[in-house]
Amino acid sequence: MSVKAPSVLRLLHQHKQKTSISATISNVLSSMDPERAKKTKRSPRASVSPSTSPFKQMPRIPAISSAAFKDLQNHSKLTACQLAVLSRVALDRESVFYTGGAGTGKSFLLSEIIHQLKTSKSLTSPECVAVTAPTGIAAVNVQGCTLHSFVGAGLFGSKSVDAIVRHISVKNKKALERWRSVEVLVIDEVSMVSGDTFDKLEAVARRLRGSHLPFGGIQLIVTGDFFQLPPIQQDKQAKFAFEAASWAACFQRNTFTLKEIFRQKDEQLIRVLNEIRLGQASKETISFIKSLSRPISGAVIEPTKLFATRNQVHAANLERLDNIREQEHVYNAYDHGIEPYYVDKLSQCCLAPEELVLKPGAQVMLLKNLKGVKGALNERPAEKNWRTDNIAFANGSIGVVVKCLADEVVVDFFDSASLRPGLRKHRVRVRREEWSILDADGSRLATRTQIPLMLSYALSIHKSQGQSLPCVSVDLQRVFEMGQAYVALSRATCLEGLQVLNFDASKVRADKRAVHFYESLL
Ligand SMILES: Nc1ncnc2c1ncn2[C@@H]1O[C@H](COP(=O)(O)OP(=O)(O)OP(=O)(O)O)[C@@H](O)[C@H]1O
């Protein structure tokens, strides 16, 4: 697929078109603004705060040159569809929503997009790219901040648009400045953002920026899969973000669906997962999944058990560790933050535990990408021969603890997602790493320093979102949310490494609204 960079003239022409279209859109958007709709009919302009000059949408300059884009086409792993999204974002500089099933490379593409935008000289500064996600864990995964933190109006769920705007304008000048200077807003895991929240933020953006353009002219990069975890709201009938009144105006023609699945290679597993995603398991699929209740055989690692609740996870990890007859070592996290509140928040969303209890022989999962670590490539290296190799291990790699030292842990990591004996192991010294919750300006609110390992015997389905697991046992007994079974099952990378317990057809549920939305994209 060839993609041309828009010339400046074309951009200006597009801009003229956009400004005339934007007048129409702005009327529609104004009528969607929950507060404004209640008020008497006024011209949309009249509602712009007199203290702010009307924000003008400048033609957006490409974030990368067409030569740099060609280079990516030729040398990166990105597929044609992933490149099409990148082109719309970085060359055309338009707002984009892209989606796709589990393992289609949404996060992979997002990190490339963020990298290109943050290193672009066309944007005022890297801070003008705000990277957000609706939950703490998703925010830490994407090295961004939570949407709440970006907004700067505390827990705004029950507040009106007026109240949020007032709060930011009067009490949070830093947030006001941020809303006015941000050029790109990234929202990952949008399936967990409710439609009401999306509409509120859209209206807040227009009000604070004094602009009639959708989202006040901020370029949006929004991604997620509406068949995965649903909006976080007590209300069972919370609207999805795609049901927001302002959604269509924000993305217009820019919705992309990634179809190629990378996490799994097995055609049968891919077909089964696609059916479960849509909540449409056929008889054949149901009996196939039931046949997966057999134990996983021949694997050199123990399966990671996925549970719906945290208590089940904690109990399973402790029980398994107790069975190892070795001395235990405790690694306490070093936590600090500007307020205890943020330290608590970090503790809730960080996969690295506050107290990491390990024993030689314990099976662990790596919680950071490690690059160029000190290690050795042979299976049983003499430890005096440590050398710095260019060994890279991905977040999610599974290994076995060899030795627990004072402030580091020696681990044998397996070098493949396959599970058969005879795998090469890489012995690596794992040292402390950092996790932070950031505020929207990128400064640290709280930081945890811990050995980037956790016991890999059990994990909660919520915390497994985004992970790839080569050997996994999914217990669906206490699954309670739509999409939860799909999230759990789609972590598996291969059939021989997947066991499914307590499955029945009623666990396969997809929200009808999501089904209709995806049908409308076909
Ligand atoms: N173009 C690509 N070429 C090769 N590998 C890719 C490509 N895109 C993604 N991958 C790999 O596929 C795997 C799944 O990708 P990723 O985690 O980005 O999927 P996802 O859509 O975000 O999944 P989920 O919705 O489950 O979080 C990762 O190991 C990633 O490195």
Side-chain angles (χ1 to χ4, degrees):
M1 182 178 297
S2 76
V3 181
K4 281 188 191 157
S7 67
V8 173
L9 272 179
R10 198 178 125 213
L11 281 167
L12 283 168
H13 177 67
Q14 279 177 352
H15 171 58
K16 275 187 195 155
Q17 283 184 330
K18 274 184 199 159
T19 17
S20 57
I21 294 167
S22 75
T24 323
I25 293 170
S26 71
N27 291 336
V28 177
L29 289 171
S30 296
S31 67
M32 289 166 189
D33 182 334
E35 268 81 51
R36 288 194 203 176
K38 282 187 224 145
K39 292 181 183 160
T40 48
K41 280 183 194 159
R42 294 187 287 174
S43 103
R45 242 168 228 287
S47 59
V48 172
S49 156
S51 61
T52 61
S53 60
F55 178 87
K56 278 194 180 167
Q57 170 77 67
M58 300 297 289
R60 295 188 184 121
I61 302 165
I64 53 174
S65 66
S66 46
F69 185 76
K70 275 219 167 73
D71 200 48
L72 280 168
Q73 273 180 314
N74 294 333
H75 298 110
S76 77
K77 280 172 143 188
L78 297 172
T79 61
C81 191
Q82 289 171 328
L83 283 163
V85 178
L86 182 64
S87 156
R88 196 59 58 80
V89 167
L91 291 176
D92 301 338
R93 295 292 315 281
E94 291 183 16
S95 285
V96 157
F97 163 63
Y98 71 90
T99 183
T104 51
K106 297 183 294 300
S107 309
F108 183 81
L109 172 60
L110 189 61
S111 54
E112 185 62 47
I113 288 174
I114 293 170
H115 170 73
Q116 292 298 340
L117 292 173
K118 287 215 171 213
T119 52
S120 168
K121 296 206 167 65
S122 313
L123 278 96
T124 312
S125 72
E127 289 72 42
C128 290
V129 181
V131 180
T132 71
T135 64
I137 184 161
V140 170
N141 280 345
V142 78
Q143 291 178 339
C145 67
T146 62
L147 254 184
H148 273 92
S149 166
F150 172 80
V151 173
L155 294 174
F156 61 81
S158 57
K159 289 184 186 160
S160 66
V161 171
D162 272 343
I164 299 171
V165 167
R166 216 177 310 117
H167 183 109
I168 295 169
S169 312
V170 177
K171 293 193 190 152
N172 196 343
K173 296 285 174 210
K174 228 170 133 186
L176 181 62
E177 181 48 38
R178 182 164 71 234
W179 272 104
R180 289 189 176 157
S181 60
V182 71
E183 291 170 35
V184 182
L185 175 61
V186 173
I187 307 178
D188 192 16
E189 303 290 5
V190 71
S191 67
M192 289 190 273
V193 177
S194 75
D196 288 342
T197 299
F198 191 88
D199 272 336
K200 272 185 194 172
L201 297 186
E202 196 284 323
V204 166
R206 274 183 289 123
R207 297 269 288 274
L208 292 174
R209 293 164 70 93
S211 162
H212 303 315
L213 294 167
F215 247 94
I218 300 171
Q219 184 186 13
L220 295 178
I221 318 291
V222 173
T223 185
D225 176 14
F226 289 108
F227 285 115
Q228 296 191 36
L229 299 177
I232 10 169
Q233 211 161 303
Q234 300 306 325
D235 175 6
K236 286 263 183 270
Q237 271 307 305
K239 276 197 275 180
F240 283 107
F242 62 76
E243 296 179 290
S246 56
W247 179 266
C250 287
F251 301 108
Q252 299 184 47
R253 65 195 176 101
N254 292 331
T255 294
F256 295 81
T257 307
L258 305 181
K259 298 216 167 101
E260 190 174 341
I261 293 177
F262 293 95
R263 185 170 292 132
Q264 297 89 13
K265 299 275 172 277
D266 186 293
E267 289 298 325
Q268 192 176 18
L269 182 56
I270 290 176
R271 185 186 55 74
V272 163
L273 289 175
N274 278 338
E275 278 189 28
I276 290 175
R277 178 168 182 257
L278 301 173
Q280 298 170 345
S282 61
K283 275 190 181 152
E284 194 192 349
T285 291
I286 291 169
S287 67
F288 175 73
I289 299 181
K290 285 190 171 164
S291 75
L292 296 177
S293 62
R294 52 58 182 133
I296 296 171
S297 67
V300 287
I301 58 174
E302 288 185 37
T304 302
K305 292 182 176 161
L306 289 192
F307 292 113
T309 68
R310 265 191 296 178
N311 289 347
Q312 290 172 293
V313 172
H314 190 61
N317 272 328
L318 278 190
E319 187 194 329
R320 191 55 199 79
L321 193 68
D322 275 353
N323 289 339
I324 301 176
R325 305 233 162 274
E326 293 279 352
Q327 197 193 337
E328 75 175 31
H329 296 255
V330 180
Y331 299 89
N332 287 307
Y334 307 145
D335 287 348
H336 61 270
I338 58 165
E339 278 175 35
Y341 170 82
Y342 293 113
V343 176
D344 272 3
K345 280 264 162 219
L346 178 62
S347 207
Q348 284 162 27
C349 67
C350 184
L351 276 180
E354 189 175 350
E355 192 184 61
L356 174 67
V357 185
L358 294 178
K359 289 178 179 177
Q363 189 175 293
V364 286
M365 185 192 290
L366 184 62
L367 299 176
K368 281 269 183 180
N369 291 321
L370 297 183
K371 270 192 197 151
V373 287
K374 268 199 165 185
L377 286 168
N378 30 348
E379 184 156 332
R380 287 276 172 256
E383 271 153 34
K384 59 179 172 5
N385 291 337
W386 290 116
R387 53 194 175 144
T388 307
D389 283 306
N390 196 17
I391 308 177
F393 289 96
N395 185 345
S397 298
I398 304 281
V400 173
V401 173
V402 177
K403 219 184 240 182
C404 296
L405 303 171
D407 213 27
E408 64 182 49
V409 180
V410 180
V411 179
D412 275 347
F413 283 110
F414 301 95
D415 73 347
S416 148
S418 148
L419 308 163
R420 299 293 160 219
L423 276 183
R424 266 196 348 174
K425 292 177 201 161
H426 300 279
R427 186 158 293 186
V428 175
R429 298 159 82 146
V430 183
R431 296 194 167 124
R432 286 185 185 260
E433 297 268 340
E434 283 186 355
W435 291 259
S436 295
I437 7 182
L438 307 177
D439 76 2
D441 306 310
S443 43
R444 294 167 185 220
L445 298 170
T447 298
R448 165 164 291 179
T449 310
Q450 177 59 293
I451 305 279
L453 295 172
M454 64 180 279
L455 290 172
S456 73
Y457 300 114
L459 190 63
S460 73
I461 296 175
H462 262 92
K463 288 199 171 176
S464 76
Q465 206 179 16
Q467 301 276 356
S468 301
L469 299 169
C471 189
V472 57
S473 171
V474 179
D475 187 338
L476 296 174
Q477 189 177 28
R478 298 206 198 156
V479 158
F480 54 94
E481 265 177 344
M482 301 257 189
Q484 224 178 355
Y486 174 61
V487 170
L489 295 169
S490 59
R491 300 307 100 201
T493 54
C494 57
L495 258 185
E496 66 268 30
L498 172 63
Q499 181 186 38
V500 186
L501 302 173
N502 296 308
F503 176 80
D504 72 67
S506 69
K507 309 280 185 197
V508 179
R509 291 186 303 144
D511 196 298
K512 286 204 172 58
R513 296 168 299 166
V515 175
H516 290 146
F517 173 68
Y518 280 92
E519 278 169 0
S520 76
L521 299 182
L522 293 175

